[in-house]
Amino acid sequence: MLRIHNSLAREKQAFTPIEPGKVRMYVCGLTVYDYFHIGNARTLTVFDMVYRWLTAAGYEVKYVRNITDVDDKIIDRANKNGEPIEALTSRMVTAMHEDCDRLLMLRPSAEPRATQHIDNMLGLIGDLVTNGKAYPASNGDVYYAVREFPGYGKLSGKSIDDLRAGERVAVDGHKRDPLDFVLWKAAKPQEPHWCSHYGEGRPGWHIECSAMSRAELGETLDIHGGGWDLQFPHHENEIAQSEGASGKPFVNYWMHAAFLNMDNEKMSKSLGNVFTTRAVLDKLDPVQGGEAVRFFLLRGHYRSEINYTWDILQDARGALVSLYTALRDVPPAEFELDWTEPYAKRFFDAMCDDFNTPMAFAVLFELRNEINRTRDAKLSALLCALGGTLGFLQADPAAFVQGEAAGDEAAEIDALIAARNEAKKAKNFAEADRIRDEIKARGIVLEDGAGGTTWRRA
Ligand SMILES: [Zn+2]
């Protein structure tokens, strides 16, 4: 019933989990040295959507997303800040959770940290050395020997020779082949390190995911996800490590989320267009912002690049407000979700077709139009329930539509509306217009309807 585009097979395939009804899903998480940027937010939100949909479709999902808490960037940043590494990483893990919460993400089932799995990484490295897929070098590093793994390149679709020709790999006398990658790095002064059979050192980045996914989910996973850019070398190396050690397929379905561009340009430090998710959220209305960004991030299909501009973000916010406005105007009836109902079925089919959120969102907008036309409370409940499967439309509609103004300002606006109604009744139209303009200047739109005047944030 569910079809997933498998990056390894390069096609959509029917999804069959290893164990019926259960899904083992691993997603590469963040390196916690700074606030995460809006491109990271896309990948995280896409896999939160996948997690929610698999759950809504009836699967019991174990969702593991790792935290890289030892790495060059972390060490550099901690040194620059003059703080211990653990202080930096624990602060950034807290910030990551805050930002993920604002984007209405569910916490994964497990969030293993690299520093808590050093023994598992050393165990895996030991297995690879024993079966001839890895070798300790004279400098204290341990490398993976890519020539010893026949499948190397199968995810990225490149042969080792193509990769070598295309790589500008520095000559390193300790490696047997320039594409060999490090599993264990010999300790350098002033850096965190652990004892091992190969001497003091710390793990390379790639081994982390192979070791933690094996510890949490076993040797073969149903789904492994990550950003598009991780396919090579990171995921290629994960396959080499995991399959090189177990001799079994590592992942049945590889999923990759496409890039988010900034105003049609690739995000890059040199262009100065890398925005943290936190900075974007802080510029938005606090009531609407998180869900609006989430809506924007999922409005495009996860395998298509999406473009970020302030206007596109505001457009997504407006579209979301229009869904909430329908829910406010026609309060949902008591209701149980029935997937055979025609709207529900179309939504279900769209999501089961490789998580086609643009098509699923189109169903929500059709429902909105019909609710506005028919004022059917059952359809309103259906809209709320369908949106809810993807983490949307669960806030109080009246408060959401009014946004931040729903607090202290709300009473003032209600008083102004009452004064305007009085002026109209007294046929003092100049005064009524003056009050309307004053309300408008606050960024509030009045909606005169049969049931009186309501208002929302423009
Ligand atoms: Zn990974």
Side-chain angles (χ1 to χ4, degrees):
M1 183 147 40
L2 172 63
R3 291 167 63 77
I4 297 180
H5 185 274
N6 181 355
S7 311
L8 182 63
R10 293 167 180 75
E11 63 175 14
K12 269 190 229 175
Q13 299 177 323
F15 177 67
T16 312
I18 300 162
E19 250 182 285
K22 294 190 176 173
V23 179
R24 306 172 197 175
M25 177 162 96
Y26 185 92
V27 172
C28 296
L30 298 171
T31 300
V32 285
Y33 70 103
D34 203 344
Y35 300 131
F36 64 82
H37 60 66
I38 190 77
N40 298 135
R42 183 184 194 195
T43 304
L44 296 170
T45 306
V46 160
F47 289 101
D48 178 73
M49 173 275 289
V50 169
Y51 177 39
R52 284 178 183 268
W53 183 252
L54 289 169
T55 306
Y59 291 103
E60 189 187 314
V61 186
K62 182 164 182 195
Y63 170 28
V64 178
R65 190 180 68 204
N66 66 306
I67 295 173
T68 300
D69 62 353
V70 57
D71 152 281
D72 289 340
K73 284 184 197 146
I74 293 171
I75 296 167
D76 288 352
R77 184 63 62 92
N79 285 340
K80 214 173 276 173
N81 293 354
E83 65 181 327
I85 284 168
E86 295 72 28
L88 172 66
T89 56
S90 70
R91 201 153 49 76
M92 285 305 148
V93 168
T94 303
M96 172 185 83
H97 284 146
E98 286 167 3
D99 294 347
C100 286
D101 289 351
R102 287 170 81 180
L103 292 173
L104 305 174
M105 284 183 223
L106 300 174
R107 293 284 165 86
S109 325
E111 290 184 286
R113 298 189 190 192
T115 55
Q116 295 164 349
H117 282 262
I118 303 291
D119 287 348
N120 286 323
M121 295 184 216
L122 284 167
L124 186 55
I125 294 169
D127 293 349
L128 291 167
V129 171
T130 303
N131 71 15
K133 298 264 183 317
Y135 57 95
S138 57
N139 63 350
D141 289 352
V142 181
Y143 294 105
Y144 191 96
V146 295
R147 296 268 174 197
E148 302 301 326
F149 182 68
Y152 197 80
K154 65 182 172 183
L155 179 64
S156 49
K158 292 171 181 170
S159 72
I160 291 183
D161 295 312
D162 291 344
L163 288 165
R164 274 193 69 167
E167 285 284 296
R168 285 176 297 157
V169 195
V171 178
D172 179 339
H174 301 287
K175 291 184 186 176
R176 291 183 194 161
D177 186 287
L179 283 175
D180 289 354
F181 58 90
V182 71
L183 300 172
W184 185 256
K185 298 180 188 187
K188 289 190 200 133
Q190 315 296 328
E191 285 190 359
H193 55 266
W194 289 263
C195 288
S196 87
H197 181 64
Y198 316 101
E200 306 218 313
R202 64 184 166 96
W205 174 44
H206 309 300
I207 196 70
E208 186 183 310
C209 290
S210 286
M212 295 197 282
S213 63
R214 182 167 83 166
E216 294 281 356
L217 297 166
E219 288 173 324
T220 304
L221 318 178
D222 290 302
I223 296 173
H224 189 318
W228 184 255
D229 52 325
L230 295 185
Q231 286 188 76
F232 185 83
H234 183 54
H235 290 162
E236 201 73 74
N237 292 352
E238 284 188 31
I239 293 172
Q241 294 163 158
S242 297
E243 298 190 358
S246 73
K248 295 177 190 160
F250 173 40
V251 172
N252 289 339
Y253 302 86
W254 279 98
M255 290 182 67
H256 291 96
F259 283 126
L260 176 147
N261 295 320
M262 301 303 276
D263 211 355
N264 291 313
E265 297 209 74
K266 287 257 174 299
M267 267 201 317
S268 79
K269 286 236 164 67
S270 57
L271 288 171
N273 61 1
V274 181
F275 298 157
T276 66
T277 304
R278 180 164 286 221
V280 171
L281 288 169
D282 286 348
K283 281 203 290 183
L284 288 159
D285 181 286
V287 176
Q288 300 173 345
E291 193 168 340
V293 172
R294 180 180 178 86
F295 195 78
F296 156 72
L297 291 171
L298 295 177
R299 211 180 186 186
H301 191 272
Y302 77 90
R303 285 189 292 116
S304 304
E305 296 192 358
I306 56 169
N307 193 34
Y308 173 96
T309 67
W310 185 249
D311 288 347
I312 293 172
L313 189 55
Q314 287 299 333
D315 183 68
R317 187 186 64 86
L320 181 62
V321 167
S322 78
L323 297 178
Y324 267 114
T325 304
L327 295 181
R328 180 200 63 186
D329 294 346
V330 184
E334 282 288 315
F335 163 87
E336 212 170 303
L337 182 54
D338 168 10
W339 288 116
T340 62
E341 191 283 335
Y343 281 109
K345 183 170 186 320
R346 282 171 54 216
F347 184 94
F348 190 89
D349 290 346
M351 289 305 296
C352 284
D353 180 15
D354 194 30
F355 309 97
N356 193 332
T357 52
M359 204 117 89
F361 282 18
V363 175
L364 301 184
F365 289 113
E366 281 180 43
L367 254 175
R368 172 202 63 189
N369 294 345
E370 192 167 341
I371 293 163
N372 289 341
R373 201 166 49 237
T374 62
R375 309 190 73 78
D376 181 333
K378 278 228 160 63
L379 290 181
S380 199
L382 179 61
L383 174 62
C384 188
L386 293 180
T389 63
L390 303 182
F392 294 107
L393 304 178
Q394 303 305 297
D396 172 58
F400 188 90
V401 166
Q402 293 178 356
E404 187 182 20
D408 294 346
E409 204 186 354
E412 290 172 35
I413 293 166
D414 288 342
L416 284 167
I417 290 171
R420 175 169 168 260
N421 290 340
E422 283 304 310
K424 277 209 254 179
K425 232 187 261 170
K427 305 222 184 296
N428 185 351
F429 296 113
E431 176 63 4
D433 287 351
R434 190 197 63 74
I435 296 170
R436 187 197 59 209
D437 291 346
E438 186 185 333
I439 294 171
K440 198 174 154 198
R442 290 170 174 247
I444 301 297
V445 178
L446 293 183
E447 290 165 333
D448 292 317
T453 303
T454 56
W455 59 273
R456 63 180 170 83
R457 266 253 178 272

